[in-house]
Amino acid sequence: MQEQILFAGFGGQGVMFVGQLLAYAAMDANYEVTWIPSYGPEMRGGTAHCTVVMSDKPIGSPIVSYPGIAVAFNNPSFEKYEPIVATNGLLVYNSSLIDQKPQRTDIQMLAVPATDIADELGNLRLTNIVMLGALLAARPLLTLDQLRHALEGHIPSHRRNLLDLNLQALERGAALVLHTPQM
Amino acid sequence: MAKEMLKGNVAIAEAAVRAGLQAYFGYPITPQTELLEHLSKRMVELGRVFLQAESEVAAINMVYGAACTGVRVMTSSSSPGISLMQEGLSYIAGSDIPTVLIDVMRGGPGLGNILPSQGDYFQVTRSAGHGDYHPIVLAPASVQEAIDFTVLAFDLAEYYRHIVIVAADGQIGQMMEPAELPEMRPVNEKRPEWALTGAIDRDPNIITSIYLEGHEMEAYNLKVQAKLKEVKKSEARWVEHWTEDMDLLVVGYGTAGRIAYSAVEEARERGMKVGLLRPQTLWPFPEKRLSELTDEIEAVLVVEMNAGQMLEDVRLAVSGQIPVGFYGRMGGVVPMPDEILDAIDTHYKRLAIRLRDKERV
């Protein structure tokens, strides 16, 4: 098994952290894993992305041309990454902010109103965790329990008070997929 | 120690601390700034020296001075900063003192950009400054190797009284991977005999790189060459994958070698007889091993993130016996596994045609 997951969005949407969180959980579950950020001359308000590769074998390249899974948080990311998802892959997109219609018919599309759900939970910064919950429900790379442990283990100490809220966000994202009939 | 998720730059910095680094002098530059940032906190916590110099030129000369006192000392930078350090490096090499330098290479020439590159191969392996010498150059392909080679660099530097460069690239510096840090080693309180420590109750030591008489300078050079001969004999390191029963050998180091691993793995799955040689030392280059392998294969494909620099060392080792192909990307562009696979496929097909023609004759 080898899976490549690309997370992309505006700076500040928690794209880097959510990739790291997945990487921590993958490491704790004894997978080989790499996390690599885009670190070019990024513009404020522009897009940032990171790629996570998890595998049960040693990982050669930490970057790929055609990721199996892309998670798009905003319109520019959707435009940029919809075309490069591998055939039969998955595109999870934040339908609260992305108003475009998907073009591809050879990949699975998963619309998640993540920013709206985060808003309901009372903190827009939970958008990334809602997206991750939905992703893991659609593709069981790791269990929600494994993610819970990673969150508990790696949330910065000054953010510990937000742990419960993060766990709720993870479950809300997952519930959305599990309780919605998929096409 | 358990594995932790570590960023390459931070891992190198922490590995240096645990290897007993006593003094660090440097100047920030992307993509290695996290290294400096980590040390600025850790060295101060431990009561060791951390100094942000006013430039790379100042930093390397501070390193020179500190190294003369026999303490474990290091600096780090990225390509343009390494260019600025050339004069200081040559003085250090000409004084036979141990120094560790980390180069997290980025796209160039010129100010270039901050993206991963291997454009410094010539700069670090050929001399790193004027005069006849080669630094020892280690090229990590993972965060774990970045840690291991940083520790090794200090040991080799001290053993040979020589410059050891860890030549990583922006990708190794920026990526996170699970890796294991070594135990904290005690700082070595005992200074070597040659060190400048104040000459109380002993004759003064002199450390210099000035030999005004030609024959004296030549005698010194002969000593350096004898040392390098020993390094060449003992310190070449490399990793091989699928090198039994192969027709085509791919050679790549660092990030390019790691990405080539993915491509070669896929080529094997498609039935191509391809292997991978990944040099871990760029100087000394594993020329003896490559030369042995040359007898068993039909062609070589070199993969680098530059216009073909290690390519020259590969050609020297292969000595024109078989064709040597090249695939490279420049300016901070990292080759993708499928690009390298295409290059393997092309060279493999050419090889098949040539082998068929040979049979006909």
Side-chain angles (χ1 to χ4, degrees):
Chain A
M1 167 283 216
Q2 175 150 315
E3 198 66 70
Q4 311 95 22
I5 310 104
L6 185 146
F7 296 91
F10 287 127
Q13 283 185 305
V15 168
M16 297 295 167
F17 178 74
V18 76
Q20 283 178 7
L21 184 64
L22 179 65
Y24 284 128
M27 176 182 73
D28 293 345
N30 287 321
Y31 283 104
E32 300 281 342
V33 62
T34 58
W35 172 91
I36 188 158
S38 57
Y39 73 93
E42 311 297 350
M43 268 189 312
R44 189 173 296 228
T47 59
H49 72 267
C50 69
T51 303
V52 175
V53 179
M54 53 185 285
S55 178
D56 47 17
K57 288 187 302 184
I59 297 167
S61 179
I63 45 169
V64 287
S65 302
Y66 308 103
I69 300 172
V71 185
F73 285 63
N74 63 2
N75 271 316
S77 304
F78 185 88
E79 280 164 31
K80 192 167 171 190
Y81 297 110
E82 188 201 7
I84 65 158
V85 175
T87 306
N88 300 322
L90 168 68
L91 177 65
V92 185
Y93 65 101
N94 180 8
S95 56
S96 305
L97 297 186
I98 295 168
D99 50 17
Q100 305 177 63
K101 287 258 175 308
Q103 307 289 315
R104 299 270 301 266
T105 53
D106 60 336
I107 59 175
Q108 188 189 345
M109 294 284 178
L110 178 58
V112 181
T115 305
D116 292 329
I117 294 173
D119 198 20
E120 279 170 33
L121 289 167
N123 192 332
L124 284 176
R125 288 153 89 182
L126 294 165
T127 303
N128 56 349
I129 307 296
V130 176
M131 294 287 275
L132 182 61
L135 161 64
L136 290 174
R139 283 279 201 289
L141 305 169
L142 294 165
T143 65
L144 284 187
D145 255 348
Q146 284 169 320
L147 251 297
R148 262 180 221 117
H149 284 126
L151 256 175
E152 281 162 13
H154 300 284
I155 207 163
S157 51
H158 62 284
R159 295 262 185 264
R160 284 226 88 86
N161 57 325
L162 296 174
L163 181 61
D164 279 345
L165 213 49
N166 274 274
L167 295 175
Q168 280 180 44
L170 195 64
E171 273 150 28
R172 283 288 302 272
L176 191 81
V177 178
L178 298 173
H179 302 149
T180 309
Q182 295 296 306
M183 294 202 301
Chain B
M1 304 225 115
K3 281 195 173 179
E4 301 167 57
M5 199 70 189
L6 291 167
K7 189 171 209 176
N9 283 332
V10 174
I12 291 171
E14 185 59 27
V17 167
R18 295 185 184 203
L21 175 68
Q22 286 158 286
Y24 174 92
F25 309 89
Y27 187 80
I29 180 170
T30 311
Q32 66 82 53
T33 299
E34 295 88 352
L35 202 164
L36 200 94
E37 184 186 19
H38 184 80
L39 288 177
S40 70
K41 183 162 152 258
R42 286 287 279 153
M43 294 296 273
V44 175
E45 258 172 29
L46 294 164
R48 304 183 192 175
V49 175
F50 171 89
L51 201 153
Q52 180 173 324
E54 70 270 32
S55 74
E56 289 86 348
V57 176
I60 195 66
N61 283 290
M62 290 173 183
V63 164
Y64 185 19
C68 286
T69 70
V71 298
R72 285 202 153 182
V73 55
M74 175 176 115
T75 185
S76 62
S77 191
S78 177
S79 311
I82 306 295
S83 300
L84 281 167
M85 293 181 182
Q86 299 289 301
E87 183 197 44
L89 286 168
S90 181
Y91 279 53
I92 290 169
S95 306
D96 282 327
I97 51 172
T99 288
V100 171
L101 167 67
I102 313 291
D103 179 9
V104 184
M105 296 183 272
R106 63 186 238 182
L111 193 56
N113 58 34
I114 60 177
L115 300 167
S117 164
Q118 295 179 330
D120 292 6
Y121 184 91
F122 285 153
Q123 171 163 250
V124 295
T125 63
R126 283 308 176 263
S127 71
H130 58 281
D132 277 302
Y133 73 97
H134 300 271
I136 297 171
V137 184
L138 305 166
S142 64
V143 173
Q144 187 64 59
E145 276 189 351
I147 292 169
D148 298 344
F149 291 176
T150 300
V151 176
L152 177 65
F154 283 101
D155 294 341
L156 290 175
E158 257 164 40
Y159 183 79
Y160 291 106
R161 290 173 61 181
H162 201 57
I163 299 168
V164 182
I165 300 178
V166 178
D169 60 68
Q171 182 160 306
I172 301 289
Q174 293 296 322
M175 73 186 288
M176 290 176 90
E177 270 187 305
E180 199 175 340
L181 284 161
E183 299 280 346
M184 182 75 100
R185 277 196 212 170
V187 166
N188 193 2
E189 298 296 345
K190 201 172 158 281
R191 306 285 179 83
E193 271 174 23
W194 51 260
L196 307 185
T197 55
I200 299 166
D201 300 328
R202 63 161 172 81
D203 291 337
N205 288 332
I206 296 170
I207 294 177
T208 181
S209 67
I210 305 172
Y211 299 87
L212 291 176
E213 292 294 334
H215 64 273
E216 282 178 20
M217 187 82 246
E218 189 178 48
Y220 173 76
N221 267 284
L222 288 169
K223 245 175 58 188
V224 172
Q225 292 305 313
K227 172 166 89 177
L228 295 180
K229 201 174 161 192
E230 185 57 36
V231 172
K232 221 170 168 176
K233 206 173 79 191
S234 315
E235 303 301 342
R237 289 171 166 80
W238 67 92
V239 173
E240 292 178 26
H241 300 282
W242 304 285
T243 48
E244 300 106 34
D245 184 32
M246 57 168 179
D247 292 329
L248 176 69
L249 176 68
V250 177
V251 185
Y253 58 93
T255 288
R258 173 186 185 129
I259 297 172
Y261 174 92
S262 293
V264 173
E265 189 181 34
E266 177 65 25
R268 274 275 165 186
E269 276 169 25
R270 295 186 186 181
M272 290 182 256
K273 289 183 173 181
V274 187
L276 176 68
L277 174 74
R278 180 168 65 77
Q280 294 173 306
T281 49
L282 304 183
W283 204 95
F285 185 73
E287 56 192 18
K288 194 159 160 270
R289 182 57 188 149
L290 181 54
S291 170
E292 284 165 14
L293 286 170
T294 301
D295 295 337
E296 301 164 21
I297 54 179
E298 303 296 335
V300 179
L301 172 65
V302 176
V303 180
E304 290 183 88
M305 279 141 54
N306 58 39
Q309 299 190 17
M310 179 186 66
L311 174 63
E312 296 192 359
D313 283 330
V314 172
R315 281 188 178 140
L316 284 170
V318 167
S319 296
Q321 295 177 69
I322 50 173
V324 178
F326 178 72
Y327 184 77
R329 299 297 303 261
M330 288 172 282
V333 178
V334 179
M336 291 288 183
D338 46 326
E339 291 172 51
I340 300 177
L341 184 63
D342 283 347
I344 291 174
D345 197 49
T346 305
H347 283 82
Y348 203 78
K349 278 180 187 140
R350 265 185 221 162
L351 187 70
I353 293 167
R354 218 178 48 245
L355 289 177
R356 203 184 54 209
D357 289 350
K358 229 199 276 179
E359 271 172 27
R360 275 192 198 142
V361 177

